[in-house]
Amino acid sequence: MAAIPTFTGDANPYGGGDPYADYRTADFPFTHLADLADRQLGAAVIAANDEFFAERENLLLPHRAEFHPEHFGHKGKIMDGWETRRRRGASAGHPWPTADDHDWALVRLGAPGVIRGIVVDTAHFRGNYPQAVSVEGTSVPGTPSPEELLGDDVKWTTLVPRTPVGGHAANGFSVSVEQRFTHLRVNQHPDGGIARLRVYGEVVPDPAWLATLGTFDVVALENGGRAEDASDRFYSPPSNTIRPGRSRRMDDAWETRRRRDQGNDWIRYRLVAQSEIRALEIDTAYLKGNSAGWASVSVRDGEDGEWTEIVPRTRLQPDTNHRFVLSAPAVATHARVDIHPDGGITRLRLHGSLTDAGATGLAARHQELGG
């Protein structure tokens, strides 16, 4: 794997024009995975020791950070991020923060899982970003309070060691800890501002919860489904199609560029585990002049299984949820949606339940990852 690009030092002061013109970023190898800190999955910043200049909740806003040069409040410049006050030393003789001084924020992941990469984005924090950051993770069942998470009995695992970062930059970190996490502690040393936090990984659901549900959406992101690959990601990622809830905007969908050949577009999914699918939905909500014309759905059982069509090529209507009941359950570990010729869909729902083999495999992985 290629080395992750790193950024350090100040960015230039804002000089007018496009504030992102000198923004430092890179293509990180993990950003195609689900953001486990997505607010739509239920993530939240549940506590911070200081948020004097800008609120902790800004860390998880879905859009990129905005900058308004004339936006000031009674505490000073208003920033679109989490920003703490400047730390000071203990006395006039030693006015500098100690090496251990730092600020922290607690993040509850929207979906517990294995973390593959983290991006600490300091967009627009040009001279007021932290000197370094570190990130720790823990796995605690239920809905612990901040006080419980900060208790002496909670074990935290280092995911990102204390590392220098750059201002006005996307600071990316690969994570190689093979463990299931539910919460993060983000530390900035000694103080400063972070615009956004993104936590990329693979959802690892609670098998006991899924077993209690019985029938559920076996491809849903929150249940451990994944969009593995797609023919086209031009306008929006295929993972949008398995996010929670119905789409409320056109960009909360999967939409491809316009084809000028005789081919078609597709998405391939991995289900949470081997499942029996009994019904499905294909939604084109808010896609009116750009929905897919037709769609078909196929499944396979195992990595080398043969693809079997369970919904033949069917005309789709714009801005409509289409429901299909299968005549017999389809056993599968993977699914594929083909759209013809191009366009988009907003959601795919595969309703079913785990097979005995699927439930056993999921429980074993959950245990192996410390769940």
Side-chain angles (χ1 to χ4, degrees):
M1 180 185 295
I4 300 292
T6 58
F7 307 102
T8 55
D10 295 350
N12 291 326
Y14 175 63
D18 178 7
Y20 273 100
D22 60 342
Y23 176 66
R24 296 177 287 176
T25 188
D27 291 327
F28 301 116
F30 42 72
T31 54
H32 65 285
L33 298 172
D35 180 5
L36 304 183
D38 187 343
R39 282 285 298 168
Q40 196 169 344
L41 284 175
V45 187
I46 60 175
N49 72 306
D50 186 299
E51 46 188 329
F52 185 85
F53 285 114
E55 296 80 8
R56 65 182 190 261
E57 288 85 359
N58 291 334
L59 282 173
L60 304 187
L61 291 176
H63 54 79
R64 70 178 187 172
E66 299 175 353
F67 181 73
H68 303 284
E70 303 303 325
H71 197 189
F72 287 84
H74 66 278
K75 290 184 178 180
K77 182 73 183 72
I78 296 175
M79 297 294 289
D80 184 9
W82 168 49
E83 186 181 5
T84 66
R85 73 194 78 199
R86 298 187 187 220
R87 282 184 170 268
R88 298 297 185 233
S91 67
H94 198 286
W96 309 280
T98 70
D100 294 331
D101 282 346
H102 67 278
D103 293 318
W104 53 263
L106 293 178
V107 177
R108 181 186 67 235
L109 297 178
V114 178
I115 298 168
R116 303 299 184 191
I118 295 173
V119 175
V120 177
D121 189 348
T122 58
H124 314 304
F125 290 95
R126 295 168 174 270
N128 51 348
Y129 59 94
Q131 182 183 32
V133 299
S134 61
V135 183
E136 303 160 279
T138 190
S139 183
V140 179
T143 52
S145 67
E147 292 75 20
E148 290 169 324
L149 288 169
L150 295 172
D152 294 336
D153 58 332
V154 173
K155 178 186 175 183
W156 291 88
T157 299
T158 298
L159 306 181
V160 177
R162 182 169 175 169
T163 307
V165 295
H168 197 43
N171 299 278
F173 306 93
S174 286
V175 177
S176 58
V177 181
E178 201 70 19
Q179 186 177 332
R180 179 181 185 266
F181 294 101
T182 60
H183 295 77
L184 299 185
R185 183 162 60 190
V186 180
N187 305 302
Q188 49 177 335
H189 308 267
D191 55 36
I194 298 171
R196 296 289 187 267
L197 175 74
R198 303 291 185 240
V199 183
Y200 297 101
E202 300 156 8
V203 176
V204 180
D206 181 353
W209 172 253
L210 296 184
T212 301
L213 293 179
T215 296
F216 59 93
D217 182 358
V218 298
V219 77
L221 185 61
E222 60 189 320
N223 294 332
R226 254 186 283 168
E228 283 193 321
D229 200 3
S231 60
D232 188 292
R233 304 166 186 263
F234 189 82
Y235 286 112
S236 44
S239 58
N240 281 352
T241 61
I242 53 175
R243 298 181 75 196
R246 291 198 75 197
S247 171
R248 293 192 175 97
R249 295 181 3 157
M250 190 177 74
D251 61 347
D252 184 15
W254 172 59
E255 183 186 356
T256 71
R257 74 193 81 196
R258 300 188 187 210
R259 276 191 171 267
R260 302 307 187 196
D261 59 20
Q262 300 299 305
N264 74 285
D265 289 313
W266 52 267
I267 307 176
R268 187 181 73 239
Y269 303 89
R270 177 185 291 273
L271 310 187
V272 55
Q274 188 189 62
S275 306
E276 285 191 346
I277 302 167
R278 292 185 285 276
L280 61 148
E281 298 175 74
I282 300 175
D283 198 353
T284 59
Y286 291 92
L287 298 178
K288 299 180 179 180
N290 53 346
S291 67
W294 291 262
S296 60
V297 181
S298 303
V299 298
R300 75 181 185 197
D301 187 23
E303 294 290 344
D304 301 321
E306 295 290 329
W307 288 103
T308 302
E309 193 173 71
I310 59 173
V311 174
R313 191 181 303 186
T314 302
R315 187 74 166 94
L316 298 184
Q317 299 301 319
D319 196 24
T320 301
N321 191 32
H322 308 76
R323 290 179 171 174
F324 306 89
V325 177
L326 302 185
S327 57
V331 175
T333 57
H334 295 74
R336 173 177 165 135
V337 173
D338 285 86
I339 63 171
H340 304 268
D342 56 24
I345 62 174
T346 55
R347 294 292 187 271
L348 173 72
R349 304 296 186 212
L350 302 179
H351 302 292
S353 56
L354 297 178
T355 64
D356 289 343
T360 299
L362 187 64
R365 182 165 188 253
H366 185 263
Q367 184 176 14
E368 178 186 344
L369 295 172

